[in-house]
Amino acid sequence: MNFAINKGDNTEEFIDSLKEKYPVDQVKKLAEKNLYICPYCEVSLRVKSGDKRGTYFAHPPNLACVES
C-alpha cells in the first residue's frame, strides 16, 4: 500500500513523500508508534522495506483488508 492515514492530523500520507522527508528507519519507527492507519479498515499499519518491493505500508499478519 502506498498511502495511509496519519492518526495525528487525519491526513493522507504517501510513502514516497515520507521517504523524501525522513530516512526509512525513522518512518518505520513512526509506524511502530501506531501513527499510520489503513484508510479502509483503520488497522494500524507497519512500514516494510526491501529490494524487491521497495518501501510500503503493510497490514500486520492476518489483518489485511480486502479493499487494500
Side-chain angles (χ1 to χ4, degrees):
M1 174 177 278
N2 66 350
F3 75 101
I5 301 296
N6 181 320
K7 285 188 350 185
D9 58 10
N10 207 32
T11 58
E12 287 185 353
E13 295 276 5
F14 288 84
I15 198 72
D16 290 337
S17 297
L18 289 170
K19 286 184 351 185
E20 289 176 5
K21 294 179 193 176
Y22 309 106
V24 173
D25 289 344
Q26 189 172 358
V27 177
K28 285 183 176 185
K29 287 179 184 177
L30 291 170
E32 287 173 5
K33 295 178 181 180
N34 298 319
L35 182 62
Y36 304 112
I37 60 172
C38 175
Y40 308 108
C41 68
E42 299 183 358
V43 167
S44 292
L45 299 174
R46 301 183 298 167
V47 172
K48 291 189 171 188
S49 185
D51 292 334
K52 286 186 178 183
R53 290 184 170 179
T55 304
Y56 58 96
F57 289 107
H59 285 80
N62 301 323
L63 291 177
C65 67
V66 175
E67 292 86 359
S68 68

